Amino acid sequence: MTVHPQKLRLTLVIGVGLLVTGVIYAAMALELWVGTSDHIGLWNGPATLTARTLKTPVGETTGLWHYHPGYVYNVVRQGTITVEDGCGSVQSYSAGQAFETSEGRVHRAYNLGGADAIESNMFVGPPGRPITVFIPNNERRCGPPSSVDECKGDGWANFNHPSQFASQGQCVEYVNHRPRITLLVPEDPLR
């Protein structure tokens, strides 16, 4: 039997890559649907919608430090998901609870519960962009600020994503002038 060094090297690289991927990112997409639209009101223009069912085994993470370029709405269908915000807050969500991970806020999530977690995610974002952007070198980053209250006191000094602020005023300016979409929701006619 002849062993070809190039094939052996390729097999080792692929095997190590799969092992590292399994250790670092053990969550797996069970279902994934992607569609585009010329206009989505939430995005106020063309958008890509991605629906995903994600399974995270007990004790595993859903990924490294990351953010989503658009809006993400999540429903926990089974188990518990714990979301750690890059700024330090931690929140757990159990089956039947919903949560939002939007506005480019850096975070990561874990399954610290006793059962595999399954969640459904709906991503609404810009066409041509990935649904998830990983922070280089898995660096913990804080931001961006979501409200003026987060900038108050010394809060502004904690933010380092997408960049640091020189003052509370600069942080407030960022929050007040960042693009926002306001949806006018019609009143329910049968109510």
Side-chain angles (χ1 to χ4, degrees):
M1 181 172 147
T2 305
V3 176
H4 297 283
Q6 289 177 335
K7 287 183 180 179
L8 179 59
R9 189 175 317 132
L10 179 61
T11 301
L12 287 172
V13 167
I14 291 171
V16 170
L18 289 172
L19 179 62
V20 168
T21 301
V23 171
I24 292 175
Y25 188 66
M28 63 198 86
L30 300 177
E31 301 172 303
L32 186 69
W33 299 279
V34 179
T36 58
S37 175
D38 291 336
H39 186 84
I40 295 292
L42 184 62
W43 194 252
N44 199 23
T48 298
L49 277 66
T50 304
R52 174 181 77 180
T53 301
L54 187 70
K55 176 182 177 182
T56 307
V58 173
E60 298 295 342
T61 179
T62 60
L64 306 173
W65 288 109
H66 66 279
Y67 68 91
H68 307 288
Y71 299 95
V72 187
Y73 301 96
N74 312 280
V75 177
V76 179
R77 295 170 46 192
Q78 174 184 305
T80 300
I81 287 292
T82 299
V83 179
E84 180 183 11
D85 180 90
C87 298
S89 68
V90 176
Q91 179 70 45
S92 292
Y93 303 93
S94 298
Q97 290 186 300
F99 62 99
E100 180 180 8
T101 49
S102 297
E103 299 200 70
R105 190 73 172 226
V106 176
H107 64 284
R108 62 183 175 179
Y110 304 91
N111 178 355
L112 302 175
D116 289 349
I118 296 178
E119 60 182 296
S120 292
N121 318 115
M122 176 58 76
F123 299 84
V124 180
R129 291 289 313 269
I131 58 174
T132 301
V133 177
F134 292 101
I135 302 298
N137 302 316
N138 194 31
E139 180 182 337
R140 181 183 187 143
R141 309 277 306 181
C142 176
S146 298
S147 70
V148 168
D149 286 341
E150 289 184 315
C151 297
K152 291 183 179 175
D154 292 331
W156 62 271
N158 296 323
F159 294 103
N160 60 2
H161 180 81
S163 62
Q164 292 183 311
F165 298 108
S167 66
Q168 178 178 318
Q170 190 180 44
C171 182
V172 168
E173 183 80 7
Y174 174 88
V175 171
N176 287 337
H177 291 94
R178 96 182 267 196
R180 300 260 194 244
I181 296 171
T182 304
L183 291 178
L184 300 175
V185 180
E187 187 175 323
D188 183 350
L190 300 178
R191 206 167 155 213

